[in-house]
Amino acid sequence: MTEGRRRIAYVLPIYDEEGNIPLLYERLRSATDGLRDRYDLEFVFVDDGSRDRSLELLRGLRAQDPRVSVYALARNYGHQIAVTAGLDVADADAVIVMDSDLQDPPEVSLELIARWEDGVDVAYAQRRTRDDGLFKRTTAHGFYWLLSRLSNVDIPRDTGDFRLMDRRVVDELRRHPERNRFIRGLVASIGFRQEAVLFDRDARHAGETGYPLRKMLKLAGDGIFGFSTAPLKLISRVGGAMAALAFLWTIYLVVARLVNPESVIEGWTYLAAGMFLLGGIQMLMLGVVGSYLGRIYVEVQRRPLYAFSVADAGPPRGA
Ligand code: UDP
Ligand code: MG
């Protein structure tokens, strides 16, 4: 390591990627060849409990290239946790997070770095096109639509976790202790200068997706529930609407009873009106419980209240 040079770390989560590791490393190495004399590079591989030969291959890389670091999680914790672990151990001025199946082309990271040099704190790679199946495309589209409607943070569409983050963003991210992590949402909520870099997302090179539907739904849930209490607020809205309708319904029933007593059975008006009114009130009360729950939820997430982008105080430096 040379003093004064800036450090860039690549964080690469690995789950059963034995078919991709050799090519990934090759592509990374050649793509970053031109950076060698400007930066100190580190390739942080985080093995997320792979069941195949991935860890062995990574050890082999480490033996031949000292810029490679290998961390293996004790079991499969999931992609977001693996990335978090990588961000925690990476000690660099900028960190690039990338998928390891070559869907995120290593060459694009050079553009991310160029943006960072222009003063951007988060350069996130946004898909211009994606080479995924129809199912993945439509569900992803629906998810981002819903998320943008529900959430109060502006979470960019068509972006995965492929991005470069300046050290200060990574430091902020470390201050977010929540367990159900939706990293791209957290990064978006942190702030600083964030810009998109468009790219064409390739198809997975080898192996299978480590994101079956179950994990995808969990991630979608973390995105929506982690960044919106709108579903909870929905309860009181439905309750309010029901109570209001029940009120109108009651008026109608009473009028019907008075105007045309034969039209309704004895005692029915009372029962019917009471049932709807009670239902509405119960929902409304549930919504009250929900609003407290929503607050408790936001409190236990223990997110930092703010991040400074400038903190320039005290005696001037060098004075
Ligand atoms: N991954 C991981 N742990 C998991 C699942 C996936 O670390 O439990 C890694 C995987 O090796 C890849 C990245 O996360 O580098 C994205 O996963 P994948 O390509 O399988 O997801 P998809 O692109 O299909 O959404
Ligand atoms: Mg993939």
Side-chain angles (χ1 to χ4, degrees):
M1 195 172 95
T2 325
E3 250 350 277
R5 295 214 309 178
R6 300 229 273 175
R7 290 171 60 82
I8 298 179
Y10 283 76
V11 166
L12 304 140
I14 300 277
Y15 181 55
D16 288 354
E17 304 283 15
E18 62 180 3
N20 294 316
I21 290 170
L23 182 64
L24 171 68
Y25 174 72
E26 246 349 279
R27 292 260 307 265
L28 259 175
R29 206 182 50 78
S30 59
T32 57
D33 214 33
L35 302 174
R36 293 182 84 118
D37 35 78
R38 264 183 298 154
Y39 305 103
D40 284 322
L41 295 182
E42 183 182 10
F43 303 111
V44 179
F45 287 93
V46 181
D47 178 61
D48 186 16
S50 293
R51 299 156 300 180
D52 64 2
R53 292 179 49 246
S54 292
L55 185 54
E56 211 176 300
L57 293 177
L58 294 177
R59 287 213 158 108
L61 292 182
R62 163 131 184 103
Q64 72 185 67
D65 186 343
R67 298 174 302 169
V68 171
S69 315
V70 179
Y71 293 86
L73 295 175
R75 65 165 167 86
N76 177 241
Y77 284 89
H79 174 229
Q80 298 287 297
I81 302 295
V83 170
T84 302
L87 291 173
D88 282 346
V89 297
D91 176 25
D93 299 299
V95 180
I96 297 169
V97 177
M98 260 177 59
D99 281 1
S100 307
D101 56 357
L102 292 155
Q103 283 200 283
D104 301 335
E107 297 74 27
V108 175
S109 68
L110 303 183
E111 286 177 56
L112 303 181
I113 294 170
R115 284 298 177 90
W116 176 57
E117 288 292 3
D118 290 343
V120 171
D121 298 292
V122 177
Y124 55 89
Q126 191 164 39
R127 304 182 260 259
R128 182 165 36 207
T129 61
R130 59 192 297 174
D131 207 339
D132 282 311
L134 182 69
F135 178 74
K136 182 113 189 182
R137 284 202 316 264
T138 40
T139 48
H141 188 79
F143 166 71
Y144 281 110
W145 177 81
L146 192 65
L147 189 62
S148 66
R149 304 266 338 234
L150 293 183
S151 164
N152 27 14
V153 202
D154 230 343
I155 299 168
R157 285 166 182 243
D158 295 325
T159 52
D161 290 311
F162 186 17
R163 58 190 58 219
L164 175 146
M165 289 177 268
D166 184 81
R167 179 195 281 280
R168 40 190 199 160
V169 178
V170 178
D171 286 343
E172 281 308 320
L173 208 49
R174 292 200 183 110
R175 294 175 63 208
H176 291 67
E178 65 199 78
R179 310 182 63 87
N180 296 294
R181 299 177 82 76
F182 185 63
I183 295 172
R184 58 202 84 157
L186 293 177
V187 173
S189 75
I190 286 172
F192 294 105
R193 251 184 90 186
Q194 312 211 359
E195 276 179 24
V197 169
L198 293 178
F199 82 115
D200 299 301
R201 189 162 158 96
D202 295 329
R204 166 174 269 278
H205 169 64
E208 289 168 13
T209 174
Y211 262 98
L213 191 60
R214 177 178 51 84
K215 282 187 181 169
M216 246 162 76
L217 288 175
K218 157 87 171 101
L219 185 69
D222 289 342
I224 288 174
F225 297 122
F227 288 90
S228 169
T229 46
L232 275 173
K233 290 182 189 123
L234 192 68
I235 303 176
S236 23
R237 290 220 191 115
V238 172
M242 237 168 107
L245 277 176
F247 181 69
L248 296 175
W249 176 234
T250 311
I251 294 177
Y252 164 77
L253 287 176
V254 170
V255 171
R257 184 85 173 95
L258 292 176
V259 174
N260 191 0
E262 282 80 49
S263 69
V264 276
I265 308 160
E266 192 74 30
W268 185 78
T269 312
Y270 175 71
L271 273 179
M275 202 177 73
F276 284 105
L277 205 62
L278 255 179
I281 291 171
Q282 274 178 347
M283 273 270 209
L284 212 59
M285 290 301 131
L286 206 61
V288 173
V289 175
S291 351
Y292 283 98
L293 199 65
R295 280 161 191 270
I296 294 170
Y297 177 58
V298 171
E299 294 291 343
V300 299
Q301 281 176 324
R302 300 208 64 81
R303 290 183 186 163
L305 297 177
Y306 51 79
F308 287 126
S309 62
V310 176
D312 190 9
R317 294 235 171 116

